Amino acid sequence: MIFDFSFILVAATLLTGLIWAIDALAFKPRRMADAAAKGITPEHVREPLVVEYARSFFPVILIVLLIRSFLFEPFRIPSDSMMPTLLDGDFIFVNKFSYGLRLPVLNSKILAIGEPQRGDVIVFRLPKDPATNYIKRLVGLPGDHVVVRGQNLYINGERVKVDMNGTYTGHGHTGAQLATEHLGDIEHQVLYLPGREARDYDEIVPAGHYFFMGDNRDNSRDSRYFEVGFVPERNLVGKAVRIWLNWDLPAAPIWDRIGDPIR
């Protein structure tokens, strides 16, 4: 069970719903009968303030809970580990039903819909701290042999194709080496930082787990590090699909990023 904002929404939905239901079934009929005995018309009968608030907020909270749990959830990018794909300060939408529907709080899958694909940008719960969300690119599927040697990435013995695109200029890390990586059916950009020691790696992804890397390859704490490691399937939150805002002072907002798809 994960005690985060989803837990607060579920608790608020249950609380407001119970207050409204108990009043409607037990107290409202008695209140109306007493008012009728005194000659007070129904439209002039005041319900308790707590019931009024519960009745007003219950449908709103329920709709937010359903959308956030089963459709889309907003996230803010808090670091530059996914540059140049995502910038610090990007606000994104995550598709919650890409890999199946899960119950809020319990996080147990109730309907399988799709499977994660190599190259997807995914939000997941950190295995060692499920209350913390990370966003990285899916590199290794269950059973894959993943090897990282410097700027070279190998999957099952085959080197992943990378086209060098010169020097990066933009929001932070200007002067880094920019490249296009061909990961599965996905072409996306990555950064290599000059003078930064690469994190080498050589492991086989266990069954039911995934291996993730950041697009800012030399500045990303990802599955190459013990603090993250392999991510179990149950920790996947959803697929990042679109940027809806960038707000990172003092440069905010970056208007031309609004609405960009995430690839």
Side-chain angles (χ1 to χ4, degrees), residues 81-239:
S81 68
M82 281 296 292
M83 285 182 63
T85 304
L86 296 171
L87 304 181
D88 188 0
D90 279 344
F91 287 80
I92 65 171
F93 281 126
V94 171
N95 186 329
K96 299 295 290 287
F97 57 87
S98 293
Y99 311 129
L101 298 182
R102 296 179 181 273
L103 290 175
V105 181
L106 298 177
N107 206 38
S108 55
K109 185 181 290 188
I110 57 175
L111 179 64
I113 296 177
E115 295 294 329
Q117 302 298 312
R118 196 189 319 279
D120 287 354
V121 178
I122 296 175
V123 171
F124 60 87
R125 300 183 187 276
L126 190 64
K128 293 178 174 56
D129 180 16
T132 300
N133 292 309
Y134 267 34
I135 181 167
K136 306 292 179 184
R137 190 174 297 274
L138 176 56
V139 170
L141 301 173
D144 282 348
H145 182 196
V146 178
V147 176
V148 181
R149 291 286 181 266
Q151 296 181 356
N152 296 312
L153 170 63
Y154 301 86
I155 299 177
N156 299 324
E158 295 188 10
R159 180 178 177 272
V160 174
K161 181 183 177 183
V162 175
D163 302 322
M164 296 301 176
N165 295 332
T167 303
Y168 173 78
T169 58
H171 306 279
H173 294 300
T174 294
Q177 191 172 35
L178 182 65
T180 299
E181 183 176 75
H182 303 261
L183 191 59
D185 296 329
I186 303 296
E187 292 184 7
H188 66 100
Q189 292 185 317
V190 294
L191 287 184
Y192 301 107
L193 305 184
R196 186 73 62 89
E197 183 178 352
R199 180 79 173 191
D200 288 348
Y201 189 85
D202 187 340
E203 292 288 346
I204 295 177
V205 184
H209 291 70
Y210 297 92
F211 178 89
F212 290 89
M213 294 180 71
D215 289 348
N216 193 348
R217 288 297 161 81
D218 300 325
N219 194 45
S220 172
R221 190 160 298 276
D222 47 39
S223 289
R224 292 172 289 177
Y225 294 82
F226 172 78
E227 296 87 343
V228 180
F230 299 117
V231 178
E233 189 274 340
R234 66 178 178 274
N235 282 49
L236 303 186
V237 174
K239 181 180 179 181

Side-chain angles (χ1 to χ4, degrees), residues 32-110:
M32 290 300 181
D34 291 343
K38 297 176 183 178
I40 302 174
T41 57
E43 61 268 19
H44 291 96
V45 178
R46 292 291 303 274
E47 62 186 2
L49 189 61
V50 65
V51 176
E52 182 180 347
Y53 279 132
R55 178 176 54 80
S56 300
F57 284 114
F58 172 74
V60 177
I61 298 173
L62 178 61
I63 291 171
V64 172
L65 174 64
L66 293 175
I67 292 175
R68 190 179 184 275
S69 299
F70 301 119
L71 298 178
F72 295 96
E73 183 175 354
F75 285 90
R76 182 189 184 277
I77 305 302
S79 72
D80 58 3
S81 68
M82 281 296 292
M83 285 182 63
T85 304
L86 296 171
L87 304 181
D88 188 0
D90 279 344
F91 287 80
I92 65 171
F93 281 126
V94 171
N95 186 329
K96 299 295 290 287
F97 57 87
S98 293
Y99 311 129
L101 298 182
R102 296 179 181 273
L103 290 175
V105 181
L106 298 177
N107 206 38
S108 55
K109 185 181 290 188
I110 57 175

